[in-house]
């Protein structure tokens, strides 16, 4: 059976930039466009040339080789011809393969936002599409607020869609701009559009996630006949975000109900780069990846409970809906006080440690983990610390360096200008190969000062930790009062893109932080020697 082609349209660089706190530079856009192009998407929408200097510079040349490079803008204004509209001219001057025009399809918006008649809006749609087609570009229309517009005035919403198609638009994209439409409504309305004369092979869906159903709405539209889907990397976008292509792509590719009917243009080899694509994008945004993200999260194929882990070892299909390797992820059996021997044996095996089920050292390791977790440690969230504990209990860890002592001081004082300041200073004495070195550092708070001082001079190992960065720092108070037990989790990364987590627990937050910092550095040194398990550094 011949499969229907579904075309993948990425709007990370345009709609995704509406995310609060995200503002791409030209260099960012070039890097992201290259990532999307290499992954195999069909369309990469780059932004709005003419609207700002960044997008205008970005469209000064074509930024993709495989994907079609898409410029975004508005239809011409009412009362002005297409040839005299400066916004449309900027789109036609851009180095793009296709132009996506946003058009009002809700008569309420036509009246309030555009201030023109319904007929003038239809004329603007028709003339703008014809101008794009005449320029030799692929034309598409984003019917903004289409689903709300249809529910308010179905005849006019359909007129906007059919006018765009009749004028030569390759794609008529139905937008759930407010993100409130439900999957059953999406399917029924898409059916109505197809019945009105726009074939499914020319329809797209652009869903927002305001009810958490952008992916579900996109799939409902596909079932109804839509053949272009729009979304963003990791679901970024204004308000609650857009449909997440990182979830949609593997669902369409790996789930038989879709895979047997549709071709998305991304083969099995390309799909194995999905986790790297998702995590690299988060790294570019300077944020930690979502551990529970479907398919690509660090916890997506992680099992904690002992009975689940035992079954997983016998046959991964018992608790995995797809293989982690198919999307470039890793299987992880986590260790905790809930885990039985199966968890521990598998976790050790993944680190290259073979241990017999009746080995007393294994029993000792399990006992230590259970005792420590009873006092507040959380090894399921700190796999690198577990790796070090296992190496120390079952084998050995090289004595790279020894911290002889450290001191942290916090002083609150007035500076020379009479401004009140709080200054943190740390002093660390480290012994490497019998040589004692003392490092002093000031930081933004006592933990930062301690981190800077600890990593300031490790002698012959200093160059090995030059690319070590602390990506995240979390503190949790485990009980009440100023004498409370504190748990510190630290996420670290290095130039390879690997990430690992370490933990420290103490009734002193500085001591807890120090434990986690030490584990992070020692793990990094082990990793550099290829001795650390890949599961701990994902």
């Amino acid at each position: 059976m011949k499969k229907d082609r579904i075309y993948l349209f990425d709007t990370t660089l345009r709609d995704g930039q509406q995310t609060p706190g995200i503002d791409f530079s030209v260099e960012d856009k070039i890097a992201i466009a290259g990532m999307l192009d290499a992954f195999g998407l069909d369309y990469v929408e780059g932004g709005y040339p003419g609207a700002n200097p960044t997008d205008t510079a970005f469209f000064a040349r074509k930024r993709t080789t495989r994907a079609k490079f898409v410029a975004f803008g508005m239809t011409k204004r009412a009362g002005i011809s297409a040839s005299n509209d400066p916004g449309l001219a900027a789109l036609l001057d851009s180095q793009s393969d296709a132009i996506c025009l946003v058009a009002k399809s809700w008569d309420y918006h036509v009246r309030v936002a555009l201030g023109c008649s319904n007929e003038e809006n239809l004329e603007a749609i028709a003339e703008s599409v014809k101008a794009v087609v005449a320029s030799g570009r692929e034309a598409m229309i984003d019917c903004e607020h289409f689903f709300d517009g249809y529910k308010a005035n179905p005849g006019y919403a359909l007129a906007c869609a059919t006018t765009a198609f009749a004028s030569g638009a390759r794609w008529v994209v139905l937008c759930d701009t407010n993100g409130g439409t439900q999957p059953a409504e999406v399917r029924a309305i898409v059916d109505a559009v197809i019945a009105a004369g726009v074939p499914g092979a020319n329809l797209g869906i652009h869903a927002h996630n305001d009810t958490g159903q952008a992916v579900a709405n996109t799939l409902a539209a596909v079932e109804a006949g839509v053949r272009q889907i729009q979304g963003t990397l990791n679901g970024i976008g204004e308000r609650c975000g857009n449909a997440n292509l990182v979830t949609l792509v593997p669902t369409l590719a790996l789930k038989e109900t879709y895979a047997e009917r549709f071709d998305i243009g991304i083969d099995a080899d390309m799909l194995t780069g999905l986790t790297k694509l998702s995590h690299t994008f988060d790294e570019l945004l300077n944020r930690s990846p979502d551990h529970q993200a479907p398919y690509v999260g660090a916890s997506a194929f992680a099992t904690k409970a002992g009975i689940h882990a035992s079954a997983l070892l016998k046959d991964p299909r018992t608790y995995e809906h797809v293989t982690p390797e198919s999307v470039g992820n890793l299987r992880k059996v986590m260790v905790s006080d809930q885990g039985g021997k199966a968890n521990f044996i598998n976790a050790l095996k993944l680190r290259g440690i073979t241990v017999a089920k009746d080995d007393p050292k294994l029993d000792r390791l399990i006992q230590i983990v259970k005792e420590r977790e009873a006092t507040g440690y959380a090894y399921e969230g700190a796999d690198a610390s577990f790796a070090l504990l296992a190496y120390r209990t079952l084998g050995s860890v090289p004595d790279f360096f020894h911290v002889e002592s450290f001191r942290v001081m916090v002083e609150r004082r007035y500076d020379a200008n009479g401004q009140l300041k709080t200054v943190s200073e740390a002093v660390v004495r480290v012994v490497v190969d019998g040589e004692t070195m003392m490092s002093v550092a000031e930081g933004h708070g006592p933990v930062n000062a301690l981190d800077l001082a600890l990593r300031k001079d490790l002698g012959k190992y200093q160059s090995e930790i030059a690319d070590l960065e602390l990506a995240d720092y979390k503190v949790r108070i485990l009980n009440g009062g100023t004498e409370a037990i504190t748990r510190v989790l630290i996420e670290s990364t290095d130039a390879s893109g690997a990430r690992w987590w370490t933990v420290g627990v103490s009734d002193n937050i500085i001591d807890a932080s120090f434990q986690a910092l030490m584990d992070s550095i020692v793990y990094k040194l082990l990793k550099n020697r290829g001795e650390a398990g890949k599961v701990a550094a994902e």
Side-chain angles (χ1 to χ4, degrees), residues 104-127:
K104 302 295 184 185
S105 56
W106 186 358
D107 58 351
Y108 169 72
H109 277 260
V110 173
R111 183 177 70 255
V112 174
L114 297 182
C116 67
S117 70
N118 287 352
E119 291 70 24
E120 286 175 317
N121 183 52
L122 292 176
E123 189 262 343
I125 292 173
E127 295 306 311

Side-chain angles (χ1 to χ4, degrees), residues 330-332 347 350-351 382-388 391 492 498-502 523 527 532-538:
L330 294 168
R331 179 176 300 118
K332 183 195 293 185
L350 289 172
R351 291 167 177 80
D383 220 14
S385 283
F386 169 73
L388 293 177
Y391 293 140
S492 304
R499 312 180 83 87
W500 59 93
W501 295 261
T502 52
Y523 184 85
K527 175 180 173 294
K534 66 178 181 179
V535 172
E538 296 177 309

Side-chain angles (χ1 to χ4, degrees), residues 128-146:
S128 300
V129 170
K130 290 175 182 177
V132 172
V133 173
S135 75
R137 322 291 178 84
E138 185 174 309
M140 57 187 82
I141 283 281
D142 266 12
C143 291
E144 189 181 38
H145 293 285
F146 184 83

Side-chain angles (χ1 to χ4, degrees), residues 5 391 476 495:
R5 181 70 155 87
Y391 293 140
R476 183 175 179 185

Side-chain angles (χ1 to χ4, degrees), residues 372-373 375-380 473-478 484-489 502-507 509 512-513:
R372 290 197 173 194
E373 292 214 337
T375 65
Y377 286 83
Y379 286 111
E380 73 271 16
Y473 173 85
K474 294 184 174 70
V475 176
R476 183 175 179 185
I477 305 302
L478 302 180
I485 300 296
T486 302
R487 178 167 67 211
V488 170
L489 279 170
T502 52
V503 64
V505 174
S506 175
D507 58 2
I509 188 173
S513 301

Side-chain angles (χ1 to χ4, degrees), residues 95 100 112 284 302 364 525:
Q95 296 300 308
C100 183
V112 174
L284 188 146
R364 176 59 181 155
L525 295 174

Side-chain angles (χ1 to χ4, degrees), residues 50-63:
N52 58 69
T54 297
D55 284 358
T56 300
F58 184 55
F59 277 94
R61 54 172 290 191
K62 191 173 183 295
R63 302 296 183 179

Side-chain angles (χ1 to χ4, degrees), residues 136-166:
R137 322 291 178 84
E138 185 174 309
M140 57 187 82
I141 283 281
D142 266 12
C143 291
E144 189 181 38
H145 293 285
F146 184 83
F147 293 94
D148 291 316
Y150 181 90
K151 285 182 273 188
N153 185 339
Y156 187 69
L158 290 173
C160 293
T162 56
T163 296
F165 178 64

